[in-house]
Amino acid sequence: MDFFALVGGHPHAVYRLELQQDLQGRLDEMFALHSEPLLNPDLVAVPFERENFQPDDSEILEIKPFDLPDLIFDPIENAIGWPVLPNDADVLSRVYCVFAHDDVSDRVIFQVINKAQRLNTSAINIILRGNVFSKLEEPGLMLANACHAVYQNNALRFKSMWWLKQIFDIGAYYRAATEADVDKFARLENVSVENLDALKNRSGQWVRTRLAYIVDSGVLEQCPPEQLVAKAAEFNVDLECVNDDGRQKLLIPEAPRQLRKVLKFLEEEYYAGPITGAAYEANSKRRRGQD
């Protein structure tokens, strides 16, 4: 297999991983093994649409046909000539996905890399050699026993939309909220919509797609408004609570710019930067506040 790393930035980039022979074999086995459950022929392939983004144990979500973006397709087609991931702590700190391409099966296997899996030199990472611990002097990555998506036969298969959103922009594949969905959103106990008529009349595809996801995911029913406000502050996103008959509710603003920021946060399109904790936008991996 050929292994690559997706690196956040503006623009984001992709590099090939140069591997020692014994490590190459172990990673080949690991990625192949953990991709098999997503390709299990006994699973029912459910088209990714409407409310079915939480499959049960007998199902697998599928987008078909799915075109791999150039950022992934191009290095696969030119693996030998593709730039190698440099020994650079800053670059390593922005890796958000490792993917492998198996040329025999023409399968692409994806693993999301979270903050804890990036080993950087600003922290003290220690490893045990014999009976003595020593400091890890070089930056690195810790790969997990996980596979978050598999692409094969022009189809993208996955179990969790949340993980998939860390790799791909799948907004075009998700449904838009209906009038009934918008009404349901406005009736949520933890929500106070500043102007429901404006939300309905001015909402285009971008807003309605995210409203549909928020309604379907139940995120506003799982997290108290005060907790959302505190979490959003970590990403420099201003959320506001209002008191409605003694109950704290999350304000959904009328102003388009503020509405967009609130919906992006509720759809979990932000993640914490690896070293400084600076906020980035998922998919584009653009640093917050950067034009």
Side-chain angles (χ1 to χ4, degrees), residues 86-139:
N87 186 349
D88 184 300
D90 177 63
V91 174
L92 265 293
S93 73
R94 291 183 283 115
V95 172
Y96 63 92
C97 175
V98 167
F99 68 93
H101 175 241
D102 181 10
D103 192 52
V104 176
S105 63
D106 198 22
R107 180 186 305 178
V108 189
I109 305 163
F110 299 90
Q111 181 181 138
V112 174
I113 303 298
N114 60 40
K115 181 180 179 180
Q117 291 174 259
R118 307 180 193 114
L119 305 178
N120 60 75
T121 54
S122 66
I124 300 179
N125 297 297
I126 58 175
I127 54 177
L128 186 62
R129 301 180 191 273
N131 296 321
V132 179
F133 280 98
S134 60
K135 183 178 183 295
L136 185 66
E137 299 292 346
E138 301 290 340

Side-chain angles (χ1 to χ4, degrees), residues 158-227:
F158 55 100
K159 273 285 191 178
S160 166
M161 186 177 77
W162 190 90
W163 286 114
L164 191 71
K165 277 161 50 63
Q166 312 309 307
I167 310 168
F168 300 103
D169 180 359
I170 57 172
Y173 297 93
Y174 198 66
R175 72 184 185 94
T178 63
E179 290 293 296
D181 288 320
V182 179
D183 286 330
K184 182 178 179 180
F185 174 79
R187 290 197 302 269
L188 292 174
E189 291 184 353
N190 288 341
V191 165
S192 176
V193 177
E194 188 171 22
N195 189 328
L196 180 57
D197 288 337
L199 184 62
K200 287 183 176 181
N201 296 332
R202 300 175 189 172
S203 296
Q205 178 73 19
W206 190 95
V207 169
R208 285 182 176 264
T209 296
R210 281 148 183 83
L211 284 177
Y213 169 76
I214 293 166
V215 169
D216 293 344
S217 68
V219 62
L220 288 174
E221 298 162 286
Q222 300 167 17
C223 301
E226 299 92 336
Q227 181 179 333

Side-chain angles (χ1 to χ4, degrees), residues 251-278:
L251 179 67
I252 306 302
E254 178 182 355
R257 183 181 294 273
Q258 283 73 23
L259 175 64
R260 186 180 181 90
K261 290 182 178 179
V262 170
L263 296 183
K264 284 175 73 68
F265 173 78
L266 294 178
E267 201 203 3
E268 300 180 284
E269 288 192 17
Y270 296 124
Y271 80 102
I275 296 179
T276 63

Side-chain angles (χ1 to χ4, degrees), residues 2 4 15-16 70 72-84 101:
D2 295 309
F4 303 89
Y15 295 95
R16 179 170 59 86
D70 292 343
I72 293 169
F73 180 82
D74 289 347
I76 286 174
E77 292 295 299
N78 182 30
I80 295 178
W82 206 260
V84 173
H101 175 241

Side-chain angles (χ1 to χ4, degrees), residues 6-27:
L6 292 172
V7 178
H10 190 47
H12 48 181
V14 60
Y15 295 95
R16 179 170 59 86
L17 302 187
E18 191 73 43
L19 304 172
Q20 292 181 344
Q21 187 173 355
D22 59 340
L23 178 58
Q24 175 78 57
R26 294 187 65 179
L27 288 184

